[in-house]
Amino acid sequence: MNFPLYGFTETMRGTWTPLDGSGRKTMWFRAEADASDAAGTLSRGALTLTGKMHAEGLADGVPATGRLEIQPLSRRIGYELEFTADDGRRCRFVGEKSPSLRSPLRSMTTLPGEVLDPEGKRLGTALLYFDLKNDLIPFLGTFRRGRRVPMEVEP
């Protein structure tokens, strides 16, 4: 069952705080999510991600790839994006939304996460948001039938 189901493009913006003590910095990613593997999507809620990652002082709008796992029964939306930092190191952003009926807007628009080095050592923490006021209508306009090969997304 490898046929495309659906896709969309999401932008998350906020800050990350490196553990090196340099202070809070801007961070964003824009990623195209594709449910192009029907079996993976239907069994695990897995979608592929392709886009751009910016983490001030680490990566300046570099290509990023990864996965998004939507598991409503477990109240979990997990993000994992791999990217190459400006200094050539492979890094990873991992984050998780925890949808809640008590605060549906906050829980669906807030993405706490971490930035990790190639060995999984934490480089910093992140707190990203989906901007409902400015990004909801454009976000809804990106929903489409999935495609077999995701396109690269410009910021």
Side-chain angles (χ1 to χ4, degrees):
M1 262 184 23
N2 191 6
F3 58 90
L5 294 176
Y6 66 94
F8 58 88
T9 303
E10 181 176 25
T11 302
M12 300 292 294
R13 298 180 184 92
T15 60
W16 82 291
T17 306
L19 296 181
D20 67 6
S22 60
R24 190 179 306 165
K25 301 173 185 284
T26 62
M27 182 177 199
W28 58 260
F29 70 79
R30 180 174 173 85
E32 190 172 282
D34 264 292
S36 54
D37 172 11
T41 301
L42 297 174
S43 66
R44 297 182 320 278
L47 292 86
T48 60
L49 292 175
T50 306
K52 298 277 186 184
M53 169 66 75
H54 175 82
E56 183 182 352
L58 181 65
D60 188 13
V62 299
T65 59
R67 70 174 193 248
L68 170 66
E69 289 188 355
I70 302 172
Q71 301 169 339
L73 296 179
S74 302
R75 295 182 17 202
R76 178 183 180 280
I77 301 174
Y79 292 75
E80 186 170 330
L81 282 166
E82 294 185 7
F83 59 95
T84 301
D86 294 337
D87 66 5
R89 283 184 294 173
R90 290 293 296 164
C91 294
R92 208 165 32 116
F93 168 79
V94 293
E96 190 172 300
K97 293 178 186 175
S98 300
S100 161
L101 292 176
R102 284 190 174 169
S103 14
L105 289 180
R106 184 187 56 76
S107 65
M108 287 296 293
T109 59
T110 304
L111 177 62
E114 299 179 323
V115 178
L116 308 172
D117 74 6
E119 290 77 43
K121 180 182 171 195
R122 198 164 83 166
L123 298 176
T125 59
L127 190 57
L128 304 177
Y129 300 94
F130 179 82
D131 183 347
L132 282 171
K133 182 179 177 183
N134 295 308
D135 292 337
L136 180 61
I137 299 300
F139 168 71
L140 293 174
T142 70
F143 275 81
R144 60 180 156 59
R145 185 168 182 269
R147 47 179 159 257
R148 291 185 190 280
V149 179
M151 294 174 33
E152 190 166 320
V153 180
E154 291 298 321

